[in-house]
Amino acid sequence: MIYFDQSATTKPSETAVQAMLDALQNSYANPSSTHKAGVEIGRKVETARKDVLSALFFGKQASGRLIFTSSGTEANNLAIIGSVHSKSRPSNGTSRGTILISDSEHASVNAACASLEAEGFTVKTIRTNGGKLSMEDARNYADGSVILCSCMLANNETGALYDVKTLFDIVRAKAPQAVCHCDAVQAFMKIKFTPKTIGADMVTISGHKIGAAKGIGALYISDDVIKAKKITPIIYGGGQESALRSGTLNSPGILSFGAAAKADVQDFDKRFQDTVAVRNRLMDALSKIQGIRMNIPEGQHVPGIISVTVFSIKSETMLNYMSAHDVCVSAGSACASHGTHVSRPLAAFGLTDAEADCTIRLSFNHSNTAEEADQFASFLAEGVLSLVHIK
Ligand code: PLP
């Protein structure tokens, strides 16, 4: 099998599986229990928390708090709904405050913002044409009414890296009280950044995108946000995770997250170079195929994602063809694939509906090889020649 769907999810790494097995088989007590077994797994959970936090700070002095959640989706919801509700003002018939996002966010950000819009908050979207954040839009929309700015770091469909630092600076200059959140699910352990270098108060990450188990994510929250009480929980209960996310901790998932993050950070440079090598090989091979176009962002990008438009062949047709050859790729993002709508990020990038409908996403990492890149390209070339073209 050629697995070029690493942005949808990754195979859990060997160390992550071992850590998970340890929690399942040996340290299965509830980490909140006060008996010996509970204290023991509680300590392992705290070690994993430190490992993930330190990976987020790339070994530099870490600060702030890491709250474990069930997913990147939940972390985004906690960041957005939790921060907006903490700052909410009574509705007086006019807007309760402005939320700024980009026009190519993940569904978990869009849907959380839509729910807040229904409550009376105003949501404004900043364009990302060509994979670049419009700073003109940012300057036009940033004013004293902004209570939250949430923008992803790496786009899950095009790989575009957005200059969130400049965006957050623009917002803070006009709205010093605003909270700045970054969905870094597709950037964590793919490029080097820290919450500080991107100027974020809160950062979302997800375990299964970096070789940990599915069902574990985390929200980083700065000390300032915690001190100023600019966040409230969205899940209530037993008060776990500093009362910001109640629910018995998913200790197997957490331990796998810690193990995967630790291994990734230790091996970062090599893994990055290996991913770049696969990208270069793919770009080289794909550039020789007629009838396709790579949608490469104008600015910076993560190395492991290439968006490809195969003119006149529906992505669904191409996906089935690839699947029959044991090749896994996505049409747009896996998270959006259940919907019938045209991908928002691709439309935001500048693709027409027809082009977006014929676009596939290749996502790969250090575990893929140059041979897979070559094989993939020859399958694609064959597919372009043999599949039915739409008019
Ligand atoms: N944000 C981005 C940019 C994503 O690509 C994804 C998933 O693909 C998520 C958030 C959601 O993460 P999870 O799958 O952990 O819910």
Side-chain angles (χ1 to χ4, degrees):
M1 174 171 84
I2 299 179
Y3 189 72
F4 275 176
D5 206 14
Q6 308 278 5
S7 289
T9 199
T10 54
K11 179 180 174 182
S13 68
E14 209 39 57
T15 49
V17 171
Q18 284 312 319
M20 211 172 356
L21 283 178
D22 176 41
L24 286 168
Q25 292 172 339
N26 309 317
S27 306
Y28 51 82
N30 188 324
S32 303
S33 293
T34 52
H35 47 65
K36 201 170 149 207
V39 170
E40 188 191 315
I41 181 65
R43 280 207 193 104
K44 289 183 181 175
V45 162
E46 290 319 309
T47 302
R49 195 188 307 278
K50 263 197 210 114
D51 287 340
V52 178
L53 194 61
S54 124
L56 189 57
F57 279 83
F58 260 96
K60 300 207 173 66
Q61 184 67 39
S63 59
R65 207 167 294 177
L66 196 78
I67 303 295
F68 286 117
T69 61
S70 67
S71 57
T73 296
E74 188 194 322
N76 279 343
N77 274 266
L78 172 59
I80 292 167
I81 299 176
S83 67
V84 165
H85 277 173
S86 76
K87 299 281 293 171
S88 69
R89 300 155 220 172
S91 177
N92 56 8
T94 58
S95 171
R96 300 172 71 189
T98 302
I99 301 164
L100 290 187
I101 58 173
S102 84
D103 63 359
S104 48
E105 296 298 323
H106 185 259
S108 52
V109 169
N110 291 328
C113 288
S115 82
L116 292 167
E117 211 166 14
E119 288 178 26
F121 295 92
T122 300
V123 178
K124 292 186 179 164
T125 52
I126 296 166
R127 285 170 297 170
T128 57
N129 197 266
K132 277 187 121 171
L133 270 177
S134 163
M135 295 307 168
E136 192 192 336
D137 284 1
R139 279 186 205 96
N140 286 339
Y141 296 149
D143 61 24
S145 74
V146 176
I147 52 174
L148 169 72
C149 178
S150 176
C151 184
M152 62 179 13
L153 186 52
N155 186 268
N156 44 302
E157 297 199 26
T158 62
L161 269 175
Y162 300 136
D163 181 3
V164 295
K165 171 79 171 74
T166 304
L167 168 65
F168 294 158
D169 284 348
I170 291 171
V171 170
R172 282 205 187 90
K174 294 279 178 58
Q177 289 308 307
V179 172
C180 294
H181 164 249
C182 180
D183 171 356
V185 164
Q186 297 289 352
F188 181 52
M189 292 297 106
K190 307 290 189 303
I191 53 149
K192 278 191 183 168
F193 72 94
T194 72
K196 212 169 163 199
T197 59
I198 58 170
D201 299 310
M202 297 191 283
V203 179
T204 292
I205 53 179
S206 174
H208 73 111
K209 310 289 186 182
I210 67 151
K214 290 159 190 61
I216 185 71
L219 181 67
Y220 162 82
I221 309 175
S222 74
D223 288 330
D224 287 349
V225 166
I226 302 264
K227 260 190 234 136
K229 297 193 167 63
K230 286 183 179 176
I231 182 135
T232 48
I234 57 169
I235 295 178
Y236 295 88
Q240 291 90 344
E241 295 298 89
S242 314
L244 280 170
R245 200 280 181 177
S246 287
T248 299
L249 295 184
N250 169 7
S251 37
I254 292 172
L255 264 54
S256 78
F257 203 178
K262 195 173 174 182
D264 259 346
V265 91
Q266 274 167 358
D267 229 5
F268 182 87
D269 291 336
K270 175 159 187 342
R271 291 181 180 188
F272 184 86
Q273 287 313 328
D274 288 350
T275 310
V276 169
V278 178
R279 180 186 185 88
N280 291 343
R281 190 76 161 238
L282 266 172
M283 299 257 305
D284 191 40
L286 296 182
S287 64
K288 298 184 180 109
I289 303 175
Q290 304 268 311
I292 70 166
R293 182 190 67 209
M294 289 179 266
N295 302 305
I296 306 295
E298 279 169 31
Q300 291 185 306
H301 51 76
V302 285
I305 297 180
I306 302 179
S307 164
V308 180
T309 301
V310 186
F311 293 108
S312 329
I313 299 180
K314 273 188 176 280
S315 49
E316 200 187 331
T317 312
M318 185 53 87
L319 247 58
N320 290 340
Y321 174 85
M322 286 293 172
S323 191
H325 289 83
D326 218 7
V327 179
C328 303
V329 289
S330 289
S333 76
C335 316
S337 64
H338 299 298
T340 49
H341 58 274
V342 166
S343 150
R344 277 169 83 147
L346 293 180
F349 192 86
L351 270 64
T352 62
D353 286 2
E355 287 171 342
D357 208 20
C358 295
T359 297
I360 58 174
R361 175 188 70 178
L362 323 182
S363 55
F364 40 91
N365 66 19
H366 59 278
S367 71
N368 294 111
T369 62
E371 290 70 38
E372 288 176 335
D374 291 344
Q375 264 179 24
F376 173 82
S378 53
F379 283 137
L380 187 66
E382 271 170 39
V384 169
L385 291 177
S386 61
L387 292 172
V388 177
H389 289 241
I390 48 170
K391 296 238 163 67

